[in-house]
Amino acid sequence: MLDRDVIRVDIWVPNQKRYLKLIGNIAEEVIHALDDDGGDHEALAFHLNLVLTEALVNAIEHAIDESPEQLVRVSISVEDGDLCARVYDHGHGFDIDQIPYPNLDIPEEKGRGIFLMRTLMDAVRYRKSGSGNVLEMRKRLACGPPA
Amino acid sequence: MNISIKSIDGRKILSLLEERLDSACSARFRDTIVDLLEEDGQPLIVDLSAVGFMDSSGLGALFIAKKMARQRSASFVLVGLQPRVLVMLDLSRMTDLFEVFPSIEDALAKI
């Protein structure tokens, strides 16, 4: 079995969109810190930045308590060749299976966040977690050991 | 949000001087463009050469601006798109929606 990186990062940021850049930058640094596995880390860093930005905006916009002092938790882990990013929220929650695939032939201003997550990651789940919810996005890294 | 707006021979040039066009600034960016289009309907060149990252809200802002420009029969073009911005347009199949030029000079020569 390959000797793979194990990275776990947990971040809490205030419930404010000005922290999107910070989270995006941390996400990219995590990917750049990985061993060279033959994959396109530049593209993966961009994709993780993007899906975490989209997920964090969802968490901020749908929080029940919108006070900017509230904290939003983001976690990023890489283990056994598996990248997992989670964004925790304290909103009312939603059924991700009911989010329709957008009609890309009829452009709209909104409605692409979940679509981008599903397009760029291997698996996207949204479920109850403790007193809130968690959006979990997973991607298998190149050359990782079998799941 | 850092923006520069200037006018050259009846054409307005809006340069967004931010690394990211994301949900932290996209609404203000959209409103600024809409205000410019409502002012006089002059051709508008949007310079995104400083923008290395755009999320879906940034894309939405560009879409609304383009839609409004079309309603007013005003020219609306983008210049200086970095690779990640181009990828976002491609992922959302919006590449063909916008007229894109490599630089402000190229756009000025055409509109």
Side-chain angles (χ1 to χ4, degrees):
Chain A
M1 182 179 290
L2 294 170
D3 182 19
R4 307 277 307 182
D5 297 292
V6 174
I7 298 176
R8 291 176 196 151
V9 180
D10 249 324
I11 315 151
W12 280 261
V13 290
N15 195 40
Q16 299 169 41
K17 291 179 180 176
R18 69 191 187 92
Y19 292 100
L20 294 174
K21 180 179 175 181
L22 173 65
I23 297 298
N25 287 346
I26 292 171
E28 296 216 18
E29 285 302 317
V30 168
I31 299 303
H32 289 139
L34 296 175
D35 286 338
D36 182 6
D37 58 6
D40 184 348
H41 282 189
E42 186 53 38
L44 181 61
F46 166 47
H47 295 166
L48 184 60
N49 184 345
L50 180 57
V51 298
L52 272 175
T53 297
E54 300 290 343
L56 195 53
V57 168
N58 278 349
I60 292 170
E61 291 186 343
H62 297 115
I64 293 171
D65 181 351
E66 294 182 1
S67 61
E69 294 80 20
Q70 285 293 315
L71 296 178
V72 180
R73 180 185 173 198
V74 176
S75 78
I76 304 167
S77 69
V78 179
E79 203 162 346
D80 297 328
D82 201 25
L83 168 67
C84 181
R86 296 185 181 95
V87 176
Y88 296 81
D89 73 73
H90 288 90
H92 293 290
F94 62 93
D95 183 352
I96 198 167
D97 295 328
Q98 297 300 314
I99 305 289
Y101 187 92
N103 184 347
L104 298 178
D105 294 327
I106 306 175
E108 297 285 347
E109 182 182 10
K110 295 186 174 183
R112 285 187 182 74
I114 299 291
F115 160 74
L116 289 169
M117 294 174 210
R118 285 171 167 159
T119 299
L120 298 174
M121 305 299 278
D122 293 335
V124 181
R125 289 200 308 156
Y126 185 78
R127 56 183 166 78
K128 285 279 177 200
S129 173
S131 60
N133 313 285
V134 59
L135 179 64
E136 181 180 282
M137 301 171 284
R138 288 184 172 274
K139 188 162 184 76
R140 192 82 193 140
L141 301 178
C143 303
Chain B
M1 182 178 63
N2 291 312
I3 275 184
S4 151
I5 299 170
K6 55 188 173 185
S7 199
I8 297 181
D9 296 334
R11 291 155 298 179
K12 287 218 167 90
I13 301 167
L14 181 153
S15 299
L16 178 59
L17 307 172
E18 297 282 349
E19 285 176 41
R20 290 171 60 105
L21 174 50
D22 64 19
S23 193
C25 67
S26 58
R28 274 179 293 159
F29 174 70
R30 178 199 61 210
D31 293 346
T32 302
I33 293 180
V34 167
D35 287 346
L36 284 175
L37 289 168
E38 280 181 341
E39 269 176 26
D40 48 25
Q42 284 185 340
L44 180 60
I45 297 168
V46 174
D47 169 23
L48 297 177
S49 57
V51 178
F53 177 94
M54 179 171 74
D55 72 358
S56 66
S57 75
L59 198 61
L62 292 178
F63 169 69
I64 289 297
K66 172 68 184 178
K67 192 172 163 184
M68 182 162 181
R70 186 183 291 148
Q71 286 167 353
R72 291 172 177 267
S73 301
S75 292
F76 175 87
V77 303
L78 306 178
V79 303
L81 302 190
Q82 293 196 32
R84 289 180 172 191
V85 174
L86 287 167
V87 168
M88 268 300 283
L89 289 175
D90 191 43
L91 279 170
S92 302
R93 277 200 240 150
M94 282 197 180
T95 308
D96 295 338
L97 203 63
F98 299 99
E99 198 171 0
V100 177
F101 293 97
S103 69
I104 292 173
E105 292 70 28
D106 291 316
L108 285 170
K110 294 286 183 183
I111 67 168

